[in-house]
Amino acid sequence: MYIVHQKLVLINQVKKKIIFLDRDGVINEEVNYLRNIEDFVFIEGIFKSMHYLKELGYEFIIITNQSGIARGLYSEADYKKIDLWMKSVFKKHNLDILDSIHCPHKPEDDCNCRKPKPGMFDFCFQKYSISKENSWMIGDSKRDIEASLAAGINNNILVRSGHPISEGIKNIPIIDSIKEIHEVIN
Ligand SMILES: [Zn+2]
C-alpha cells in the first residue's frame, strides 16, 4: 500500500500546474495589431502577480491569436522578435515562461489553433504533462475562455485590462487586471 501511495504522489508532482495567459490585454496593454517593441507596455503589477503565482507552484504558458501575421500587418519574424524580447524582460524579473504559442492565421483560414478553438491548448497537453484540474486560463475576451473550456480547463478568469468586456460569461469571475489575481487564485 505504501508503494502505491508513493507512486500516486509522484504522478501528482510530475503534472504541471499551468497559468495559461492570453498576451495582448492580459500581459501588455491592448494595442491593435502590436508590431513594435516600443508599443509593448506591460500591464501594471504583472511581475508581482506572476511571482505570487510562481510561489503557488504555477508555471506559465502564453497562448495568443496573432492574425496580424496572416493579414500581412507584421511578419512571423516581427512576432518572434517581440516574443523573445518579452521573455528576456520576464527573465530579468526572475520569471520563466515555459512556452508561448501563437496562431498566425486569420478567421477565414478556419485553422484549429485560433481561439475560440482549443488547438493551442491541445498542443500543450501533448507536449507537457499538465494537470487540467489545477490549471487556469486568464483572458480578456470571450473567445479565450471558450477555447479554454473546449480544451477542458474549467478554471477561467476574465480581466478588464484588455478588450472591453461586453458580456460576461456565466460563472467566470471578472477582475480589473492580473494585479488582482490573488482575489481569485489563493
Ligand atoms: Zn491558427
Side-chain angles (χ1 to χ4, degrees):
M1 278 306 285
Y2 180 70
I3 290 169
V4 170
H5 177 69
Q6 281 237 317
K7 269 188 182 168
L8 284 172
V9 169
L10 198 64
I11 290 164
N12 281 331
Q13 279 172 346
V14 169
K15 281 203 169 186
K16 293 177 181 297
K17 291 167 31 170
I18 301 293
I19 303 288
F20 290 100
L21 297 154
D22 177 39
R23 196 192 73 180
D24 303 315
V26 176
I27 292 175
N28 56 289
E29 304 272 355
E30 172 66 33
V31 176
N32 256 335
Y33 302 113
L34 180 98
R35 66 201 89 179
N36 300 306
I37 288 172
E38 301 80 68
D39 298 327
F40 192 108
V41 178
F42 283 95
I43 295 280
E44 194 210 330
I46 179 116
F47 303 115
K48 195 179 168 194
S49 291
M50 285 175 67
H51 269 288
Y52 167 80
L53 294 166
K54 183 181 165 181
E55 289 294 312
L56 291 176
Y58 291 100
E59 295 181 68
F60 305 100
I61 295 180
I62 297 165
I63 287 195
T64 175
N65 283 355
Q66 294 293 328
S67 68
I69 297 171
R71 296 176 208 272
L73 298 169
Y74 49 92
S75 67
E76 191 76 35
D78 295 331
Y79 167 78
K80 283 271 157 60
K81 195 175 156 191
I82 294 171
D83 189 55
L84 284 173
W85 172 82
M86 175 189 68
K87 286 182 200 160
S88 76
V89 176
F90 277 125
K91 191 80 198 164
K92 275 181 203 156
H93 285 83
N94 203 22
L95 289 162
D96 289 312
I97 303 298
L98 179 63
D99 217 330
S100 56
I101 321 287
H102 73 288
C103 162
H105 308 112
K106 53 186 189 298
E108 308 85 272
D109 294 337
D110 199 29
C111 64
N112 287 318
C113 35
R114 184 176 163 80
K115 295 174 282 186
K117 297 262 186 76
M120 290 191 279
F121 290 91
D122 292 338
F123 173 81
C124 295
F125 297 143
Q126 282 168 16
K127 188 169 174 184
Y128 305 101
S129 178
I130 294 172
S131 165
K132 290 187 188 183
E133 311 83 70
N134 294 309
S135 294
W136 291 77
M137 171 68 193
I138 307 175
D140 71 332
S141 71
K142 199 177 173 186
R143 68 182 174 207
D144 292 326
I145 310 303
E146 285 171 347
S148 169
L149 288 170
I153 295 180
N154 294 318
N155 307 311
N156 294 280
I157 301 170
L158 277 168
V159 291
R160 291 195 190 87
S161 50
H163 286 286
I165 297 170
S166 50
E167 46 172 336
I169 307 173
K170 205 180 171 213
N171 299 327
I172 306 296
I174 306 179
I175 53 177
D176 279 348
S177 80
I178 196 167
K179 199 176 174 182
E180 297 175 350
I181 200 67
H182 56 277
E183 291 177 7
V184 185
I185 304 179
N186 47 44

